[in-house]
């Protein structure tokens, strides 16, 4: 509507678009990577699904179900290959994880191999070095399990217990990464020399 004096009425400035992420909110380090193909969420879901299904196929393999071993040996490396991460880390974990997955078929005496799978996950997800302390959890569990799992037919107990521990340890490592990042951010803020409350010369 024009002004009574004939001057145009200034229009209100357009509202600023809010950032999709609030400042200071932690985000997965792998989200900052420049992916050359596919979406982050799509690759993460597909990769995780193939890793889980591939590992499960390997673990249920018996003398009478060898095709499962073949399927798992294909799915698991494919899952690591598509996970969003640096190519060096993805390539580095494929052979060790697959080899130690085969060793898991040996029963509770090889339960410590689950720690290798967890270490590979932490490596690919770019977890900080202190987060690798969670590897002590599956290692400790692998020392206790042979005391309770004494026969081959009790192998499902090993698979169930160690899987729960590995998943829980992965979440614990993520929580540790968030806490460590928050602590480092606060520490950096305290060490900033251009703060308003910093002492002036």
């Amino acid at each position: 509507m024009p002004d009574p004096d004939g001057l145009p009425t200034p229009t209100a400035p357009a509202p600023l678009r809010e950032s999709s992420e609030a400042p200071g909110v932690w985000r997965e380090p792998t989200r900052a990577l420049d992916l050359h193909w596919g979406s982050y969420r799509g690759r993460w879901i597909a990769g995780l699904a193939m890793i889980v299904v591939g590992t499960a196929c390997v673990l249920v393999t018996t003398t009478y179900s060898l095709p499962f071993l073949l399927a798992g040996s294909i799915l698991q490396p494919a899952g690591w290959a598509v996970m969003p991460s640096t190519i060096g880390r993805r390539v580095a974990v494929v052979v060790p994880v697959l080899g130690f997955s085969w060793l898991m078929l040996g029963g509770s005496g090889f339960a410590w191999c689950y720690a290798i799978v967890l270490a590979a996950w932490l490596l690919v997800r770019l977890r900080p070095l202190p987060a690798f302390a969670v590897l002590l959890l599956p290692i400790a569990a692998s020392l206790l399990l042979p005391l309770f799992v004494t026969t081959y037919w009790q192998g499902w107990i090993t698979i169930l217990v160690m899987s729960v521990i590995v998943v829980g340890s992965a979440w614990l490592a993520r929580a540790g990464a968030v806490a460590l990042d928050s602590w480092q951010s606060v520490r950096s803020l305290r060490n900033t020399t251009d703060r308003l409350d910093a002492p002036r010369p």
Side-chain angles (χ1 to χ4, degrees), residues 171-188:
W171 279 105
L172 184 60
R174 185 183 188 276
V178 174
L180 180 63
D181 183 76
S182 176
W183 177 78
Q184 289 178 336
S185 298
V186 172
R187 184 183 181 187
S188 299

Side-chain angles (χ1 to χ4, degrees), residues 14-199:
L16 297 176
R17 180 178 298 177
E18 294 185 0
S19 175
S20 59
E21 294 187 8
V25 175
W26 186 86
R27 62 182 302 196
E28 284 286 352
T30 49
R31 284 189 176 273
L33 297 176
D34 184 19
L35 302 180
H36 297 288
W37 60 274
S39 66
Y40 177 88
R41 182 177 294 275
R43 287 179 57 172
W44 185 87
I45 293 175
L48 180 61
M50 285 191 287
I51 291 171
V52 171
V53 174
T55 303
C57 287
V58 172
L59 295 178
V60 301
T61 299
T62 65
T63 307
Y64 307 101
S65 60
L66 291 179
F68 281 102
L69 182 63
L70 176 61
S73 299
I74 295 175
L75 282 174
Q76 195 189 80
W80 292 111
V82 303
M83 282 294 294
S85 186
T86 61
I87 187 170
R89 292 178 182 237
R90 285 182 284 147
V91 171
V93 303
V94 170
V95 174
V97 173
L98 184 58
F100 283 103
S101 296
W102 291 340
L103 283 180
M104 292 178 192
L105 294 173
S108 60
F110 292 90
W112 56 270
C113 295
Y114 283 81
I116 305 301
V117 178
L118 176 60
W121 177 261
L122 301 180
L123 187 69
V124 169
R125 299 299 287 164
L126 306 182
R127 296 291 179 247
L129 189 59
F132 282 73
V134 299
L135 294 175
L136 295 175
L137 297 177
I139 293 175
S142 70
L143 298 177
L144 297 175
L145 270 175
L147 302 177
F148 304 96
V149 181
T150 57
T151 66
Y152 178 79
W153 302 109
Q154 293 176 313
W156 65 272
I157 299 177
T158 300
I159 295 174
L160 177 61
V161 171
M162 294 303 297
S163 296
V164 170
I165 291 176
V166 166
V167 172
S169 299
W171 279 105
L172 184 60
R174 185 183 188 276
V178 174
L180 180 63
D181 183 76
S182 176
W183 177 78
Q184 289 178 336
S185 298
V186 172
R187 184 183 181 187
S188 299
L189 180 61
R190 289 174 177 172
N191 292 338
T192 303
T193 58
D194 58 351
R195 294 181 300 143
L196 295 176
D197 60 343

